Structures are given as structure tokens and as C-alpha cells.
Amino acid sequence: MNQEYDVFISYSRKDYIQNDKIVPGNPVSAIIEMFENNGISYWLDKEGIYSGQQFLEVLSNAISRSKILVFISSEHSNASVYTAGEIFEAHDSKKLIIPVRIDNAPYNEKFRLIVRPLDYIDYQGQPNTALPELLRAVSKEKDRLAAIALKGNAEAVKREIKEKAKEYLALVGQQEYIIRELYAKNKSIGNTAKRCPVCGKEVPLHSLFCDQCGWQFPKLYGIDGSDVPLYSEQQLALARQLWQRAGTVVDSESIDVEVIEPEMPEKELHPFMRNGKYGFADEDGKVVVPCTLRKAGQFSEGLAYIVDGFGNCGFIDNTGEIVIPCEWKGVYSFQNGVARVMDAYGRWYYIDKTGEIVEEA
């Protein structure tokens, strides 16, 4: 339930009102004024309009919606059945109880074992310091509860992220398997080329894009730790125009289409697998990095991650040189100049392209 009150004030109206008038200079009024001046929200039964079973339900509801119970201890409140019930309700709900003693009356035997061990505010003996002390106690508990709530929210977010990460990794594994199977199937039946779905040009089987129209062949979202969407807006715009041109039964010269020139990617190495191991080859099929790797990723921002035979991760550049040593236990591809990496103790960091740690992840 939402806790909309900072404080529930448990007191006896006899200490506050006599002969239907507020007692001048009474401690209850001073406490109420102090709370109002310092932005402390509170609940108490000022009017005394409730009675019987209805009153019990109102009290229980108000206590559950409050963070703290301030018990104004006096001869009248210690003799009250209602204040005893309020203390039991707060105790059962594990709420902080702050006694404020305004006279020397002993605690009621019904709740003495609950209240007696607690630190109390001595309003009668030290009236000048009692209110500031009460304000500090209430503020400290508010801060503590706020910190717990914040941590709870953070933990909930972490749990959600972990669950999504598990689902994500499972999907990535399935997608990688499908891509490898398709590639292996084409290789096994002797296919060395594939056909661009936009312009029909045949390109090498390992090609990432069509060298005639610029179409980038679909790479399933998230493969190799990439966060790059399936297609860029530029690729989509080009594809729509090319499909429009192909589907129009008129002379192509008569179609007024603003052709968007795609940004051609730099020539780079591509990973391939042989006998269960990964390596890198150039666009002519020349092997640059031999197939000794456990895993290899696509290039992103000029670097590709590799996993050596011992399960350690690093990065190579487009010449096949290792530019970030294989000293990490987990990696993601570079995005916006940084890559997320995990050390041998399971701690995550962001590193730059020199391999230096930028910050904790």
C-alpha cells in the first residue's frame, strides 16, 4: 500500500482539547506545528468524529499508510485502549515507533514490553531540544526508507535486465546456429555465390553487401553482441526505391526516382569457420587469420572481437593484427567508441579502442 503519510500521531485528545477548546501551549500542537513547518506529512484524529468499529478500521488503514508512529506518551494516552491498539498495529507492521514523553506516567502494561526498550524523546524534561530531536529522528527514518525503496527499484530493474538478457542470449544462439547452418548448407552443395534480392546480382557467398546496388544482406539483430538495427534508414529508402523501380511495368528511364547513394562500407575482413574453428579472410577469399579461434565477430567501428582457444577475448583490426590482447572473459562489439568487457571475476567495464578501461559497466 502506498505510504502517503510520514507520521501517524498516536495520542490522547485529552492532552490536546479540553472543554471543546485547544489547550494553549500543549505539546501536541507544538509537534503538529513543527511537522507542518518542516514538510512532514502526518495523520491524527483531530476531530474525534469516529467511534466503535469504524474508528478501528480508520486507524488501521491510517497506520498502514504511514511510515512512522509517534506515540505521545502521557497519563491519558497510556490509559487509552485506542493508543494500545495503535502501538500493537504499528509493531506488527514493523514500523518505527518513536515515544515522546510529555509527563512521567509509566507505560501501559499492555504494551510496555514493546515501548520500554525504545529510545524516547523527553519533552517534559528537555522541551527546548525535544522538537529538534524528534525532527531528526523522523527525517533519518524517512531517508532510510527512501534508500531502501530506491535500492529495491534498482534491484527490480537489474532482475528485469537479467531476465531479458537470458532471453536475448538464447535467441542470439538460435539465430547464430541458423545462419551457420544456412551457410554450411550452401557450401556443402557447392554454392559459392548468392543472389541479391533487390537487383539480382550474384555476389560471393560470404558477402555482407551487394557491390552493385549497395544492399546490405540481413544480419539478424544482436548477432555477435551487436546493437546495430537490421537496416539503416538509408538502406530502407534505397530498397523501397529499387523495389518500386523493379515493380513498375514501364521503361525504367521514365521513372523519376531520387536515388540515394548508399555509404559503401570499407573493405574489411570477414569471419569464416572451418573444422569448427574460426578465422578471417579478405574479400578475395585469402585467409588472413588462420582458423584457430573458438569464436570471431563481425567488424564494428574498425575492430572485431575474437575468442582464442582458451576462451579469452580480445580484438583485431582490419589487417588481422591483435590490437587489444586476449585478456577478457567476455566482450561485446564496439559501439560509439567503447566496448563492454568482462574480467575473470565477472566484473564488467567499458574500454576504448586502445584497450584502456573507461568506466565500470
Side-chain angles (χ1 to χ4, degrees):
M1 181 177 291
N2 182 37
Q3 293 178 319
E4 57 191 275
Y5 302 110
D6 295 324
V7 172
F8 177 97
I9 300 177
S10 176
Y11 80 118
S12 170
R13 295 188 74 246
K14 294 179 180 179
D15 295 318
Y16 179 51
I17 294 177
Q18 293 182 9
N19 300 321
D20 295 329
K21 293 182 180 180
I22 296 177
V23 178
N26 74 86
V28 178
S29 293
I31 291 172
I32 291 172
E33 182 180 2
M34 185 267 291
F35 283 160
E36 291 177 347
N37 290 340
N38 290 276
I40 304 295
S41 59
Y42 63 89
W43 190 97
L44 85 164
D45 177 31
K46 281 187 179 181
E47 306 300 328
I49 59 175
Y50 303 108
S51 62
Q53 183 63 30
Q54 181 189 25
F55 190 30
L56 296 178
E57 293 173 0
V58 170
L59 291 177
S60 178
N61 185 49
I63 292 172
S64 66
R65 290 154 60 194
S66 303
K67 302 180 179 75
I68 304 162
L69 183 136
V70 171
F71 170 50
I72 300 179
S73 174
S74 69
E75 180 181 357
H76 298 302
S77 63
N78 278 284
S80 171
V81 175
Y82 290 121
T83 53
E86 291 162 3
I87 289 172
F88 286 131
E89 184 79 13
H91 178 70
D92 290 343
S93 302
K94 295 181 170 53
K95 298 185 185 294
L96 176 66
I97 300 173
I98 304 176
V100 179
R101 304 194 64 163
I102 62 174
D103 61 26
N104 291 323
Y107 292 136
N108 191 316
E109 291 183 357
K110 294 180 179 178
F111 54 79
R112 182 183 300 167
L113 292 177
I114 296 175
V115 178
R116 188 164 55 184
L118 303 177
D119 291 334
Y120 64 90
I121 309 295
D122 186 5
Y123 189 93
Q124 183 187 41
Q126 299 175 322
N128 295 330
T129 60
L131 292 181
E133 187 178 348
L134 176 59
L135 179 61
R136 281 193 298 270
V138 170
S139 300
K140 182 178 180 181
E141 179 67 4
K142 280 184 59 180
D143 292 342
R144 187 187 73 85
L145 294 175
I148 291 174
L150 184 62
K151 183 177 179 180
N153 291 338
E155 291 299 325
V157 171
K158 286 181 181 178
R159 286 194 296 271
E160 183 179 358
I161 290 174
K162 286 181 179 179
E163 290 303 316
K164 289 184 181 298
K166 289 179 183 178
E167 181 180 1
Y168 162 79
L169 291 173
L171 290 173
V172 166
Q174 294 171 18
Q175 292 168 353
E176 285 188 299
Y177 175 78
I178 291 170
I179 286 179
R180 290 172 187 161
E181 288 292 303
L182 290 174
Y183 186 85
K185 180 68 175 178
N186 276 279
K187 292 280 285 187
S188 68
I189 62 178
N191 288 344
T192 59
K194 56 186 175 184
R195 189 177 300 278
C196 174
V198 176
C199 68
K201 171 75 182 297
E202 282 195 354
V203 297
L205 189 61
H206 62 258
S207 294
L208 299 178
F209 65 95
C210 175
D211 56 12
Q212 176 168 292
C213 70
W215 174 258
Q216 181 172 325
F217 290 96
K219 184 174 76 168
L220 295 178
Y221 184 86
I223 289 296
D224 296 329
S226 171
D227 289 329
V228 179
L230 204 57
Y231 310 109
S232 68
E233 288 298 322
Q234 189 177 47
Q235 290 168 340
L236 286 173
L238 175 62
R240 293 190 191 103
Q241 292 181 52
L242 290 172
W243 279 111
Q244 180 185 0
R245 182 187 290 273
T248 306
V249 192
V250 294
D251 182 8
S252 61
E253 295 299 323
S254 66
I255 302 176
D256 183 17
V257 178
E258 179 188 359
V259 177
I260 300 176
E261 294 295 335
E263 293 183 7
M264 303 296 285
E266 294 181 1
K267 291 184 178 181
E268 58 187 25
L269 304 180
H270 63 85
F272 71 100
M273 183 173 63
R274 182 179 296 163
N275 298 326
K277 297 290 186 178
Y278 284 87
F280 286 85
D282 62 19
E283 293 181 356
D284 297 323
K286 179 183 177 181
V287 176
V288 177
V289 178
C291 293
T292 60
L293 302 171
R294 183 179 295 183
K295 191 174 181 182
Q298 299 287 353
F299 276 85
S300 176
E301 299 187 3
L303 298 177
Y305 74 76
I306 58 173
V307 182
D308 66 17
F310 301 99
N312 300 313
C313 309
F315 290 86
I316 65 168
D317 62 14
N318 202 39
T319 68
E321 292 294 323
I322 297 177
V323 293
I324 298 177
C326 294
E327 58 186 11
W328 303 102
K329 290 300 183 181
V331 294
Y332 285 86
S333 297
F334 271 90
Q335 296 292 326
N336 300 317
V338 295
R340 192 163 177 250
V341 298
M342 182 182 72
D343 67 14
Y345 301 98
R347 297 172 300 201
W348 287 91
Y349 304 92
Y350 287 105
I351 60 171
D352 61 22
K353 292 185 179 180
T354 68
E356 293 295 320
I357 293 176
V358 177
E359 61 179 342
E360 293 186 3

